[in-house]
Amino acid sequence: MCEIDNNHGSLDHKEDHDKEHKYWSRRSFLQALGIAGSGSMLLGSQMLTASAPSPLTAAIADSQTDNILILIRLSGGNDGLSTVIPIEQYDAYANARPNIYIPESKVLKLTDEFGIPSYMQSLQPMWAEGQFKAVHGVGYEGQSLSHFTGTDIFSNTDLTSTGFSGLNTGWMGRHFENLYPDYLINPPAAPAAIQIGSFGSLVFQGDETNYAFVTNNVDQLEEIAQTGDQYSLDEALFDPCMYGDQLRFLRGVANTTLEYSSIIHDAYERGQNQVEYQDNGFARQLALLARLIKGNLGTKVYMISMGGFDTHGNQPLAHERLMSNLSVAIDNFYDDLAFTEQDECVLSMTFSEFGRRIFENGSNGTDHGKAAPTLFFGTGLNGSAFVGDHPTLDNPDGRGNLEYTMDFRDLYATVMAEWLCVPIPLVEQHLLDHPYAPVNLGFNCSGVDFPDIAYSDGDPTLPDTPGSGDNTPPTPELVNAIVHKPFYPTEQAPHIYLEMPFTAHVDIQLYNIMGQNVGTIFNEMMLEGSTEINIRDRMPTHLATGKYIYRIQVQDQKMSKSIMVA
């Protein structure tokens, strides 16, 4: 059961994108036949709401999962060999780290091959209950040892990224852009994603917008959850001699822009924590997420962070503190969700920008390395295990790096297709055409067969799966549309270019950035084929230079895009 009855208690790429033209291809149009957001927002004097679902959108809506994903960023580069200890390679491990290795007496042996430090012992009950998996050697070819580039690559899945270039959209941002094609005009009823910290993260960034409700820290999200506002408007806080009225007005305007604040507040009030958490930043983040989930907020993806993993010096004490806090908080979190049986539909996974080297340095720490384990938590794993091949310690590269044995994109793809039930062709598209190679993590939505993969003890048995792919939309061929080919006219006027797959009535409205309707660009039947529309020629009044949003409606489906009018 993933919902509770709240009536009964406890329950620079941008520059290209903003050119004077937008290309709406057959792919874009067909993707627009997905689910429009079910919420509404006030635009000028008009209240716009989602349209009634068509048979296709209803079918897709019925296939949507109640599952929730929590991304846990371990910022700084987590040391994998202090997280999962290879017992079969223990001598090589200890010899490489004579001053910082974890003694055998402090290794909690989970299988004959692998263990975790005793300071992570709070995860032992989760292991026993089948709620903990660790995937070995996660990384990618040519892994960056830069904090910034590494973070970008794990966010945008663009392996060509460098410190100065790379794709400015994220893997989850591309997913939400497909899921909510009319987001700019008609966002979903609840935040698509919530992110605490890491303003610079690309994970939820799409071409048009960032799809996450982002707060700088847990204090800020707690304030919003408790009050429904980002800033207090208490008159006692404002000095009338120091522009108090003006400041109060500006804060009020800021609060009205956070249209989701009241929704978050309502969920916070409905939910409650039934477990006592530790008093540290990471535990507070999970306690708040538990309360929002138990309050049935409706958000499907969350991202939280824990910093301090750049352990170049004095690593043993730092890593013990960090992973002890993580282990206790994760255990408390799932105990809390179990009170309302919502632990079954919440999956958590860690990620970090890189791992660390095999050998210790001269400061009782480790330097930037490559591969590291990814940890998964949740009842939905249906069994605990160490997954995949652990990198060998006997043959590191010239700088002492572990070589990766698991492409991180395969884990992302598995989570999207098998946990969030995103159709596989779309998953491949969101991961920049990376071929689908799922990993058996214990859950299966698509009904595909998983390739053989190494397991250390634990039970890799899958739950019952829909052999016919019951959770896939009934017409998956819709996503096999033509490839997007950018087209820019030579004239100065901004253009919209559509490639219509069939004859239909098309309505295109233009809005300014304040949400006010500027006028109708097009409202008539359009034949199958290509059509180019000059926005300035179509508008009855002069358009000022600036950014606008146009909304295309074909039948009962809508898509909104931004455009720059020069």
Side-chain angles (χ1 to χ4, degrees):
M1 182 178 70
C2 292
E3 292 187 2
I4 54 177
D5 183 355
N6 292 303
N7 295 320
H8 295 83
S10 62
L11 294 201
D12 330 349
H13 176 77
K14 271 292 184 189
E15 293 179 0
D16 290 335
H17 194 69
D18 285 338
K19 286 190 182 282
E20 300 172 34
H21 160 79
K22 291 293 178 182
Y23 176 94
W24 202 40
S25 67
R26 182 171 181 267
R27 165 186 284 190
S28 298
F29 179 83
L30 293 175
Q31 288 174 0
L33 298 181
I35 306 169
S38 59
S40 61
M41 65 182 297
L42 187 64
L43 292 175
S45 60
Q46 292 184 307
M47 178 66 76
L48 298 175
T49 59
S51 59
S54 67
L56 174 60
T57 58
I60 297 176
D62 288 343
S63 75
Q64 294 303 297
T65 175
D66 289 329
N67 288 346
I68 293 170
L69 174 66
I70 297 176
L71 303 172
I72 302 172
R73 182 188 175 197
L74 308 181
S75 179
N78 180 42
D79 178 29
L81 290 177
S82 292
T83 303
V84 172
I85 301 165
I87 295 172
E88 290 186 330
Q89 302 184 71
Y90 188 82
D91 288 344
Y93 157 74
N95 290 334
R97 301 179 168 203
N99 296 301
I100 67 169
Y101 76 95
I102 296 170
E104 286 187 88
S105 61
K106 294 185 177 181
V107 175
L108 184 60
K109 191 175 180 181
L110 297 181
T111 71
D112 291 338
E113 300 168 273
F114 302 102
I116 58 176
S118 59
Y119 51 75
M120 295 174 63
Q121 63 185 351
S122 295
L123 295 179
Q124 189 171 22
M126 296 191 68
W127 175 271
E129 294 168 6
Q131 301 177 43
F132 174 27
K133 279 188 169 78
V135 182
H136 298 307
V138 178
Y140 54 89
E141 186 68 32
Q143 188 157 347
S144 170
L145 301 183
S146 160
H147 288 293
F148 304 105
T149 300
T151 298
D152 283 353
I153 289 174
F154 272 92
S155 299
N156 64 13
T157 70
D158 179 7
L159 270 55
T160 68
S161 294
T162 69
F164 304 98
S165 66
L167 193 62
N168 283 338
T169 60
W171 64 291
M172 290 303 304
R174 295 189 287 269
H175 162 57
F176 286 127
E177 198 144 55
N178 177 81
L179 191 61
Y180 303 116
D182 197 26
Y183 185 93
L184 293 178
I185 298 296
N186 191 15
I194 289 180
Q195 176 183 331
I196 303 177
S198 303
F199 268 116
S201 174
L202 292 173
V203 172
F204 301 109
Q205 183 65 45
D207 272 329
E208 294 293 340
T209 188
N210 192 295
Y211 290 85
F213 183 99
V214 183
T215 61
N216 192 38
N217 50 52
V218 67
D219 295 332
Q220 191 177 45
L221 186 57
E222 283 179 339
E223 175 74 12
I224 292 170
Q226 291 166 4
T227 67
D229 294 323
Q230 182 175 13
Y231 303 109
S232 173
L233 301 180
D234 187 344
E235 292 185 4
L237 299 176
F238 299 95
D239 184 348
C241 297
M242 296 294 292
Y243 304 100
D245 289 341
Q246 291 91 328
L247 180 58
R248 189 171 186 274
F249 170 76
L250 290 175
R251 285 193 170 188
V253 170
N255 288 342
T256 61
T257 65
L258 294 174
E259 64 267 20
Y260 287 131
S261 295
S262 62
I263 297 171
I264 292 172
H265 171 65
D266 291 343
Y268 180 83
E269 290 294 303
R270 289 192 299 266
Q272 62 176 291
N273 294 123
Q274 292 160 287
V275 167
E276 184 176 352
Y277 291 78
Q278 290 183 318
D279 186 16
N280 61 64
F282 184 74
R284 287 172 58 204
Q285 291 179 76
L286 282 176
L288 181 54
L289 264 56
R291 189 159 174 172
L292 295 177
I293 291 169
K294 293 167 82 174
N296 288 331
L297 174 61
T299 294
K300 296 298 181 67
V301 185
Y302 297 84
M303 179 172 155
I304 60 177
S305 299
M306 176 186 282
F309 285 90
D310 196 19
T311 50
H312 289 283
N314 301 315
Q315 176 174 300
L317 288 177
H319 200 264
E320 178 175 350
R321 174 181 58 82
L322 292 168
M323 295 307 287
S324 174
N325 287 346
L326 181 144
S327 302
V328 173
I330 287 288
D331 183 50
N332 288 340
F333 176 67
Y334 280 96
D335 282 348
D336 199 357
L337 293 177
F339 275 90
T340 51
E341 299 181 17
Q342 288 169 288
D343 56 316
E344 300 173 359
C345 56
V346 179
L347 177 73
S348 304
M349 65 177 289
T350 65
F351 72 101
S352 195
E353 59 262 45
F354 44 66
R356 308 197 81 81
R357 293 180 186 166
I358 299 172
F359 303 98
E360 67 181 46
N361 59 27
S363 302
N364 285 339
T366 54
D367 297 325
H368 299 182
K370 292 187 178 179
T374 291
L375 310 181
F376 287 88
F377 307 104
T379 307
L381 293 168
N382 292 291
S384 297
F386 292 100
V387 181
D389 297 317
H390 193 286
T392 178
L393 276 62
D394 295 329
N395 188 30
D397 70 8
R399 304 178 74 178
N401 288 311
L402 293 167
E403 295 296 342
Y404 85 100
T405 57
M406 175 71 68
D407 193 311
F408 77 100
R409 294 170 295 178
D410 293 337
L411 296 181
Y412 285 4
T414 302
V415 167
M416 293 187 83
E418 310 302 342
W419 185 253
L420 297 178
C421 298
V422 179
I424 290 172
L426 283 178
V427 170
E428 293 179 328
Q429 178 183 314
H430 300 333
L431 296 180
L432 308 181
D433 298 323
H434 179 67
Y436 187 61
V439 181
N440 187 344
L441 294 174
F443 42 82
N444 187 316
C445 181
S446 69
V448 302
D449 293 328
F450 293 104
D452 293 335
I453 192 167
Y455 281 82
S456 174
D457 293 4
D459 182 9
T461 303
L462 289 172
D464 293 337
T465 60
S468 60
D470 295 336
N471 287 321
T472 302
T475 52
E477 67 275 6
L478 287 177
V479 298
N480 297 321
I482 62 172
V483 176
H484 179 95
K485 297 178 180 179
F487 170 84
Y488 300 108
T490 57
E491 309 92 294
Q492 289 296 313
H495 289 236
I496 299 171
Y497 187 81
L498 295 89
E499 187 169 325
M500 293 293 295
F502 49 75
T503 298
H505 184 272
V506 176
D507 177 57
I508 306 178
Q509 300 293 319
L510 189 67
Y511 299 86
N512 61 25
I513 59 174
M514 299 300 293
Q516 297 166 323
N517 188 294
V518 177
T520 299
I521 299 174
F522 190 94
N523 187 11
E524 56 190 83
M525 291 296 295
M526 188 175 289
L527 300 177
E528 178 181 353
S530 300
T531 304
E532 182 180 343
I533 300 171
N534 184 313
I535 292 180
R536 285 198 181 277
D537 286 352
R538 290 277 181 167
M539 293 302 296
T541 59
H542 175 73
L543 288 178
T545 298
K547 195 165 188 177
Y548 293 81
I549 298 170
Y550 65 87
R551 184 189 213 184
I552 300 176
Q553 178 168 350
V554 180
Q555 296 176 346
D556 60 353
Q557 305 305 317
K558 301 181 179 75
M559 169 181 280
S560 53
K561 292 284 186 180
S562 63
I563 191 167
M564 181 66 69
V565 175

